[in-house]
Every structure is written in C-alpha cells, then in structure tokens.
Amino acid sequence: MIVGGGLAGGNAAVAMREEGFEGPVVLAGLEPGVPFGRPPLSKTYMRSEEDLDGWYVKPSAWYEEHQVDHRRETAVTSIDATARTVTFDSGEELAYERLLIATGGRNRHFGIPGADLDAVHQLRTVAECDAIKQEVGPGRHAVVVGMSFIGCEVAASLTQLGVRVTAVLGQKVPLERVLGEQVGAAFASIHEQHGVELVTGESVASLQGDGRVQAAVTASGQRIACDFVVAGIGIEPNVPEFAGAGVEESNGVLVDECLRTSLPGMFAAGDVANHLHPVFGRVRVEHYNNAEKQGRAAGRAMLGSDTPYDYIHSFWSDQYEHDLEYVGHATRWDDFLMRGSVEERRLIGFYLLDGQMLAAVGLNRGGDPELDADCEMAACARLVGQRARPSRDSLADDNVDIWSLVG
C-alpha cells in the first residue's frame, strides 16, 4: 500500500516492480493524474513552453500493464497501524502488509486578512498553476509573497510572460536563508535587472479588495496595488490521520536510515519524511531529486533491503537565463568561500561548519552532478559525502582542481 500519488509514491511502485515483486500494489492519492515531477509548474509549464508528459514517472498505461492499482483522487482518511488497515474516503477498508507514507507536503496556510479573496494563489498542483496562468497578460501586475525557490521561479516566469512583478520578502535578499547573503545578492541583482521590484525586510499584513484582490498592504503600511497575488510561503509535511497507534513524528514522519518508521511494516519517503541521514543527521528535504531517489529506495526497503539511504542531496533552479546547482545540505555555516564573482554571476561557493564542507552552490558554473559525473559540482558532492575538511586556501583558489581535493 502506497499512500500518496506523487513523485515519491510513483517511484516506489516502479522500483518494486523493477525489483521483481509480483504481489498486489495499491497506489492511492489525491492527484487526478499520474505521478509526475513538479518543477515545470513554476517554470516551463507555467510559461506554456512544455507539457508535463516528459515529467511523468511512468505513462498512464504503465500502471495497468504492471498491475498497479492506481486510485486517483482518492483520500486515505485513516491508517490503523495495529490492525494494518487503511480506510478510504469511500468508506472502504483495505488490509496491508507493508505501507509507505508518501503524502508529500501541503501549502502553508496563508492566514492573513483578505487571503480568501479571488485572485490570491498558491502553487502546488497543476490546477493551481493553471489558475495562475489564467491571470497572465501584458501589463498585469502581480505581488509575489516570499522569495525562496518557488517565489523566485514564479517571479521570473511571470516577468518573462510580460507581467509586472513586485516581490515582498522578509529578508535582505532572495534565498538568503538557503544560500546566504552573498549568493542571494546575485539573485537580487538578476531579478532587479529583469524589472522585478523587491520590497525587502517586509511582510504582507493584509490583502484588500472587493471580492477580488486589488492591493497588498505590508506590515509597515505600504499599499501595493495589484491584479493578483501569488504566495510562495513554503509547504508543511502532510502527515495522514492515524487510528490507534500513531507513528512518531516531528517536522514530518520520523524514519531511520532505511526509511522505516517507528511502526512495524510502515515506511515514509519524500517531502513528508524526516530522515536520519548518515552524513547530515535528521533532515527533511523538499526537492525533486530526493523525492525521486528516496521513493525508489523506499520501494526496495519495503521488499526487505537494509541499504541505508545516503544520497548526497542536490537540487537545481532555473531563473531567466541563469542556472543554479546545489549539493549537500547546510542549514547553518560559519564560513563561506567562493570561486568566481557575484558581480559576474558565475561562481562556486562552499559552505563550511567547523572546517567541514557541508554544501556547495554553483551559479552558471559547476555543471549538473546528476548528468555529468566529472563536473565540478560532482566533485563537491564527493567532498560533502566524505565529510572533507579541505584547506580554505585550496577551496578558494581557482587554480586548484576541485577533484584534486577528493580523497
């Protein structure tokens, strides 16, 4: 039983069939379509440059051909871990031997006055993306709330579609919490060059309008007239309801290094899973690469694999003509070293804590470690995985081959 029809759940089903499992597999989720990757929703699909076919885990026909009982637009209302049953919104109760929680995340509640007005959007599903696309047109003005990855990518896509964008963010620069002030400054410059107005160190306190939003009002009282609003304020783990014995959770469902929960026969993967990683400790990661790979690892774990999930996390972001790659996981660091230049928007940066390299970022440099095993960012991933402590001088020196630092 796989509860959740997104990227992690779909990949778990595929992995089990690829590993030769021939028993029944039920994949139940709220999505109306087949499992797919969400990155295009804020980028190419939003700009109508591509459809989603290339992002499907498998085409629709695959599930029937491989005897996967794919139940679309189906909610699991409760899980009884003692009886090992799930109850669907139809009232049907179904027994399971092994269960995977792959329910992903849900948009954080945008709980400010006026958030229920028409033309106030968030982005998680195809339907939500289609609703934003209906707002687009030359001369339209959007307020984007928050400038982490979703906010930045939506602001870029809307700008490329001719929409005037004002972005309201609580920090000094976009992506500051994830990438730090120096790299964030590069993205501030990129967005401003393309015409995005950044209102920094602010929050949206309320939205105004008569049935439909007409303005956003900041905490300091600034009123920003607009035609629509997109709130990119992040997601929270979507933990299902449990009857009887509940699973241990803290910022998601707690799983061990093999993606096992605290309850027998139950696993978790994707955005909902708070994983005990061999290198990073407890982490919950909300990116495409993790959902894909962790879903497959969970499928194998359900079949008895005890191989720890030790993927060195990576993700990417495309904004305008600029490409960002990131490897590792750093929520705090005490040292940041850089090759290249913020001004030239071409750099590799290294995040260290007590001398240990935790993560690296590449802006228009370094390559994609998922596609090129010999690129600079792949070398950075190796260093992170080795818990390496390269000398500061060697890291900052562009004449030193990063691969020469790999043990």
Side-chain angles (χ1 to χ4, degrees):
M1 170 67 66
I2 300 170
V3 181
L7 187 65
N11 273 284
V14 170
M16 283 191 282
R17 289 300 188 229
E18 289 179 348
E19 292 293 322
F21 178 66
E22 297 179 351
V25 175
V26 177
L27 172 64
L30 293 173
E31 295 279 2
V34 296
F36 74 102
R38 300 182 191 276
L41 297 184
S42 59
K43 296 177 281 193
T44 50
Y45 180 81
M46 178 173 283
R47 300 194 298 268
S48 299
E49 294 172 1
E50 72 169 335
D51 57 26
L52 297 174
D53 291 3
W55 292 88
Y56 294 156
V57 174
K58 290 292 183 181
S60 181
W62 181 91
Y63 297 89
E64 183 175 356
E65 292 168 357
H66 291 79
Q67 292 80 53
V68 173
D69 182 2
H70 184 202
R71 304 187 180 198
R72 308 181 189 190
E73 298 182 276
T74 299
V76 171
T77 56
S78 70
I79 299 171
D80 189 329
T82 302
R84 293 206 183 189
T85 59
V86 298
T87 303
F88 298 103
D89 51 1
S90 65
E92 178 188 4
E93 187 177 272
L94 193 64
Y96 68 85
E97 291 180 86
R98 300 284 174 93
L99 180 140
L100 174 65
I101 301 172
T103 43
R106 56 174 173 256
N107 290 325
R108 287 201 178 99
H109 179 57
F110 193 31
I112 64 172
D116 58 348
L117 290 168
D118 289 344
V120 178
H121 303 278
Q122 289 184 274
L123 178 59
R124 181 73 178 167
T125 66
V126 175
E128 289 170 334
C129 184
D130 288 340
I132 295 171
K133 291 170 73 171
Q134 293 298 313
E135 302 280 4
V136 168
R140 303 272 287 170
H141 184 194
V143 169
V144 172
V145 183
M147 283 291 275
S148 192
F149 284 103
I150 290 295
C152 281
E153 290 171 0
V154 167
S157 289
L158 292 177
T159 299
Q160 289 171 288
L161 291 168
V163 176
R164 183 162 67 94
V165 174
T166 299
V168 182
L169 58 153
Q171 297 173 314
K172 297 178 183 177
V173 293
L175 299 165
E176 182 177 347
R177 181 183 63 83
V178 181
L179 302 179
E181 193 169 339
Q182 287 177 275
V183 181
F187 281 94
S189 173
I190 287 168
H191 282 280
E192 288 174 334
Q193 180 185 7
H194 285 84
V196 175
E197 179 188 4
L198 299 178
V199 180
T200 61
E202 271 280 23
S203 62
V204 174
S206 65
L207 301 172
Q208 298 177 345
D210 184 10
R212 181 182 173 90
V213 70
Q214 295 172 308
V217 180
T218 70
S220 67
Q222 180 181 354
R223 186 178 188 276
I224 307 168
C226 61
D227 297 299
F228 64 101
V229 170
V230 181
I233 56 175
I235 66 170
E236 58 189 11
N238 187 18
V239 180
E241 293 293 324
F242 285 86
V247 69
E248 289 185 7
E249 58 178 286
S250 176
N251 183 30
V253 174
L254 295 179
V255 295
D256 66 10
E257 65 276 8
C258 296
L259 308 177
R260 299 171 294 215
T261 74
S262 58
L263 299 176
M266 188 178 297
F267 304 76
D271 293 357
V272 74
N274 189 332
H275 171 231
L276 184 59
H277 194 282
V279 175
F280 306 119
R282 282 234 163 260
V283 293
R284 189 176 66 82
V285 176
E286 300 172 354
H287 294 291
Y288 171 93
N289 288 344
N290 180 61
E292 177 187 46
K293 298 179 190 305
Q294 198 172 62
R296 286 180 168 267
R300 294 188 291 269
M302 292 171 77
L303 301 182
S305 171
D306 58 0
T307 301
Y309 178 69
D310 59 358
Y311 172 61
I312 300 301
H313 295 292
S314 69
F315 62 83
W316 79 95
S317 178
D318 304 326
Q319 298 171 38
Y320 311 104
E321 69 275 24
H322 301 283
D323 301 319
L324 175 138
E325 296 285 347
Y326 182 100
V327 297
H329 185 84
T331 57
R332 63 187 183 94
W333 55 91
D334 56 19
D335 198 7
F336 177 75
L337 302 171
M338 187 171 61
R339 299 182 179 196
S341 165
V342 167
E343 292 73 25
E344 295 177 3
R345 300 167 185 168
R346 181 176 170 79
L347 59 89
I348 292 183
F350 311 96
Y351 301 86
L352 295 92
L353 181 64
D354 297 329
Q356 180 182 330
M357 186 165 149
L358 300 181
V361 63
L363 176 58
N364 297 320
R365 177 180 165 176
D368 182 346
E370 295 294 313
L371 300 177
D372 182 0
D374 296 322
C375 69
E376 289 179 300
M377 292 303 289
C380 292
R382 290 279 294 276
L383 290 169
V384 171
Q386 293 172 357
R387 300 181 177 89
R389 298 175 180 272
S391 73
R392 297 183 80 258
D393 290 343
S394 62
L395 273 183
D397 187 347
D398 227 338
N399 294 313
V400 176
D401 183 358
I402 298 177
W403 277 104
S404 72
L405 306 177
V406 175

